[in-house]
Amino acid sequence: MDQSFTIHGYTITDDPELFNEISQTPADLMDQMAKIHRKAIKGGQKNIDYLIRKIKEYPNVPQLKNYLSVALMNTGHEEKAYEVNDRILEEHPDYLFGIMNKAREYRDKGDYHKMPEVLGKQMELKALCPNRQLFHVSEVVAFYFETIRYYTAVGDIESAQSRLDMLRDIAPDHDDVRKGEYLVLEATLESARENITAEERARITPEFSSYDASVQTDQPPEFTHKLIHELYTADYGIDREVLAGILAMPRESLIDDLRKVLRDSICRFEYFKEMMDEGEIEPHQTFSPFHAVSLLGELEAGEAINDILDTLRQGEDFADFWYGDFLLEVFWQPLYKLVDNNLDVLGDFMLEPGVYTYAKSTVSKAVIQYYFRHPDKRDQIKEWYKGVLLHFLTWGKENLTDTDLMGFVVSDVIDGNFRELIPAIDGLYEAGCVNESICGSLKDVHKAFGKRGFSFYKMKVLSIYDLYDYLEKNWSRPTDDLSEKDSVSEFVPEDEPVDRPFIKEPKVGRNDPCPCGSGKKYKKCCMRKT
């Protein structure tokens, strides 16, 4: 034997002598098999006639009949190929390639449910051939490739993946491994599309309010402190001395100026958006409201909470323009510093209809993080979440019910281990008001309570300086598109094949088109799955 190893209770070899024994190939025919195989692959009537003559000469060699079915298939005579294979199964019932051909016929005709009739209900080679201990590697690869075809056809991706993993161990360089990878990937994507479609059917999203068009102007506000204008010229790379200088200003007049910045983001939204669209300002010049919120958080200026919430009431386009990914990722940081004495205000905000999902979810995130550092407030925070859950449960579906938001809120309730709220959660699930792709099924939710302590969920609260340092270190600024010189080809090794079964995709941003092809933004589609 050239190579052999034992797996799953049987031995696999690539010894050609075994293959010839299995195929009952006489010694005088062995040297001709490579030539005959080429003729079968090429197909055509001339080669079909040649194979028929060879079968008459060697009637007990099933491999020749298998080659005939291949030639017929490659010539376009599918039904005749199927007839030849049925003859193989009658005359050589233990010939594995005849069994695999029959499974392939069922697969090609869409009769997936019939494939276990020939491959075995367990889809295991040893179960199909219990009396054999030794198999040629080509038999094993062909068998498990057909099981992959079956499982991907019926949508059992987990079983298909396990067979693919087995093939990778047995013959990592075999072409059927690459084909199997493609089938599993294709089935995975199709399953994701179906899940998204089902999820979209069950999804309830309110009609989000838009920005206030009645207050639009192109006139900037007048600030008491001229240094405030610096907030309009820089992103999170703003000079830290400028930040320190602003924070050193008289508190009352400073807070008044920062409120004006927030109001300006509303009143001049159209103005700034048009400037951006026309290329007259750069992205780093659209950070003024985020700076204002961050500075108000650093000042613990709870009296400005409604000014901040006002910006969150302006709808999705407004939030994306001014806050972008920060809304979901870091906006809770300054909000957290304003939670104290503002729980009622934040609770009322959560109950307002038509407010953007991620505006509310970041408020919930700030509240739960506040609880982790103030466990003595448990009853108060529990009642806060109870009020939110019950309001969404009893309000009905009038432009308030938001299944995505409830998924985020339920997740926060689990993190806080508020078991007393399980009945309200049960009611929300029964009413179909929770996106399960965010927080899991109701069964998953029940199991999740109390699994981990606060230390697992508790996140570090950063000063404005540390927050901006974090953003500079971990967040990318907008960059220009690749030039012709920096084409994709320069990033791919010359010897790497162009056509590959799997390519690692680049990171997708929240506002980028979803790679699943739904046409939606990533954040509104597969991001929840991720």
Side-chain angles (χ1 to χ4, degrees):
M1 290 186 184
D2 294 341
Q3 288 187 8
S4 64
F5 60 95
T6 301
I7 185 172
H8 296 287
Y10 53 85
T11 301
I12 301 173
T13 180
D14 62 357
D15 184 359
E17 290 300 321
L18 174 65
F19 193 75
N20 292 328
E21 180 183 334
I22 292 169
S23 300
Q24 303 177 34
T25 308
D28 62 327
L29 183 61
M30 289 180 187
D31 293 339
Q32 304 176 50
M33 293 306 286
K35 172 187 174 182
I36 297 173
H37 178 255
R38 287 193 296 272
K39 288 180 176 290
I41 296 297
K42 187 175 182 181
Q45 192 59 48
K46 182 178 179 181
N47 289 324
I48 290 172
D49 293 341
Y50 172 84
L51 283 163
I52 291 173
R53 290 195 298 273
K54 281 294 179 183
I55 291 170
K56 289 180 179 178
E57 186 178 353
Y58 299 95
N60 295 321
V61 179
Q63 190 173 0
L64 289 175
K65 299 166 189 175
N66 184 40
Y67 284 171
L68 175 59
S69 70
V70 170
L72 288 166
M73 186 68 71
N74 290 344
T75 308
H77 303 314
E78 292 185 5
E79 292 303 322
K80 289 185 178 180
Y82 296 146
E83 290 174 7
V84 168
N85 194 63
D86 288 341
R87 175 184 163 190
I88 295 173
L89 289 175
E90 290 177 9
E91 298 175 357
H92 312 277
D94 296 328
Y95 182 59
L96 271 177
F97 288 99
I99 293 173
M100 261 85 83
N101 285 346
K102 192 63 179 178
R104 188 174 295 114
E105 176 186 343
Y106 288 146
R107 171 69 165 80
D108 292 342
K109 290 182 176 180
D111 296 329
Y112 314 130
H113 63 284
K114 293 183 178 180
M115 293 178 74
E117 294 177 8
V118 289
L119 296 177
K121 292 183 179 180
Q122 298 180 41
M123 296 283 166
E124 292 292 348
L125 190 55
K126 185 62 177 174
L128 183 65
C129 306
N131 298 322
R132 283 186 60 181
Q133 301 297 323
L134 185 63
F135 294 88
H136 193 270
V137 66
S138 61
E139 294 179 294
V140 180
V141 170
F143 177 82
Y144 283 113
F145 179 68
E146 288 307 316
T147 65
I148 291 172
R149 283 167 57 92
Y150 168 73
Y151 282 124
T152 53
V154 299
D156 187 348
I157 299 171
E158 183 177 352
S159 295
Q161 184 65 54
S162 69
R163 270 59 176 190
L164 176 59
D165 292 340
M166 192 183 302
L167 276 188
R168 284 173 174 151
D169 291 337
I170 295 169
D173 298 325
H174 199 284
D175 190 50
D176 280 352
V177 174
R178 297 185 64 182
K179 292 178 183 176
E181 288 173 339
Y182 178 82
L183 287 173
V184 172
L185 177 60
E186 187 179 51
T188 302
L189 291 174
E190 181 60 29
S191 176
R193 292 188 193 100
E194 291 175 358
N195 288 339
I196 289 168
T197 301
E199 177 188 314
E200 289 300 320
R201 285 197 297 265
R203 240 175 124 209
I204 305 171
T205 302
E207 182 180 344
F208 298 131
S209 301
S210 185
Y211 68 93
D212 188 350
S214 68
V215 299
Q216 296 304 303
T217 180
D218 59 0
Q219 297 301 309
E222 292 186 8
F223 299 113
T224 300
H225 305 285
K226 300 304 180 186
L227 199 55
I228 294 294
H229 290 286
E230 296 294 324
L231 303 181
Y232 288 80
T233 63
D235 58 14
Y236 41 80
I238 189 172
D239 191 324
R240 303 309 190 251
E241 291 185 6
V242 170
L243 289 179
I246 292 174
L247 289 169
M249 294 172 181
R251 179 183 174 87
E252 185 175 347
S253 58
L254 172 57
I255 291 175
D256 184 60
D257 274 353
L258 293 174
R259 284 170 145 175
K260 289 179 181 178
V261 172
L262 294 177
R263 187 62 184 166
D264 185 40
S265 70
I266 298 173
C267 294
R268 287 203 291 164
F269 172 57
E270 289 182 355
Y271 169 80
F272 279 102
K273 192 172 186 305
E274 183 177 350
M275 293 277 283
M276 174 69 80
D277 291 343
E278 293 180 357
E280 295 183 20
I281 61 172
E282 298 296 327
H284 67 266
Q285 294 173 282
T286 60
F287 278 71
S288 54
F290 181 74
H291 290 316
V293 172
S294 300
L295 288 162
L296 288 167
E298 193 69 11
L299 293 166
E300 297 184 5
E303 61 267 40
I305 188 67
N306 273 313
D307 300 88
I308 295 172
L309 296 180
D310 245 358
T311 68
L312 298 181
R313 293 182 175 100
Q314 303 303 310
E316 181 178 3
D317 290 341
F318 180 96
D320 282 346
F321 182 81
W322 287 118
Y323 298 135
D325 292 345
F326 291 171
L327 183 62
L328 184 63
E329 302 295 336
V330 298
F331 201 91
W332 70 270
Q333 289 265 356
L335 271 187
Y336 160 86
K337 301 169 187 177
L338 308 178
V339 169
D340 203 20
N341 297 320
N342 277 312
L343 272 173
D344 289 344
V345 175
L346 295 172
D348 290 341
F349 175 78
M350 294 291 289
L351 309 184
E352 292 180 20
V355 176
Y356 183 39
T357 300
Y358 293 105
K360 288 185 175 181
S361 69
T362 199
V363 168
S364 180
K365 191 171 185 178
V367 170
I368 199 64
Q369 288 298 321
Y370 175 82
Y371 169 53
F372 293 151
R373 287 165 183 79
H374 301 83
D376 57 306
K377 306 272 190 181
R378 187 180 194 281
D379 288 343
Q380 191 177 358
I381 302 298
K382 179 195 70 178
E383 289 301 315
W384 189 90
Y385 277 107
K386 180 180 178 181
V388 172
L389 294 176
L390 290 180
H391 190 80
F392 274 78
L393 179 59
T394 58
W395 183 270
K397 302 184 185 300
E398 294 181 37
N399 205 37
L400 177 73
T401 303
D402 185 336
T403 53
D404 285 3
L405 176 63
M406 285 298 96
F408 290 122
V409 171
V410 168
S411 296
D412 291 336
V413 169
I414 293 170
D415 295 350
N417 197 28
F418 296 119
R419 291 178 175 275
E420 303 93 321
L421 302 183
I422 288 178
I425 293 173
D426 290 346
L428 285 165
Y429 268 86
E430 185 177 346
C433 294
V434 184
N435 185 338
E436 296 186 19
S437 70
I438 293 175
C439 55
S441 67
L442 184 57
K443 183 178 179 181
D444 294 332
V445 168
H446 279 223
K447 288 181 179 179
F449 277 94
K451 271 196 169 183
R452 298 186 175 97
F454 289 176
S455 59
F456 182 83
Y457 303 109
K458 187 176 179 181
M459 302 174 74
K460 188 175 181 180
V461 178
L462 305 174
S463 70
I464 188 171
Y465 301 106
D466 290 338
L467 175 61
Y468 282 24
D469 286 346
Y470 164 80
L471 293 174
E472 278 209 286
K473 182 178 179 181
N474 295 282
W475 286 63
S476 299
R477 290 185 170 88
T479 57
D480 293 332
D481 293 336
L482 290 175
S483 65
E484 292 182 10
K485 180 178 180 296
D486 296 322
S487 63
V488 174
S489 62
E490 295 195 23
F491 298 96
V492 181
E494 290 183 4
D495 58 347
E496 188 170 345
V498 175
D499 187 15
R500 299 185 296 277
F502 180 81
I503 300 173
K504 185 177 180 181
E505 297 291 343
K507 183 178 179 181
V508 183
R510 279 179 60 239
N511 293 309
D512 291 342
C514 189
C516 79
S518 66
K520 300 180 181 179
K521 290 183 180 180
Y522 179 52
K523 68 183 179 185
K524 287 194 164 186
C525 196
C526 292
M527 186 180 81
R528 296 188 304 278
K529 295 290 184 183
T530 307

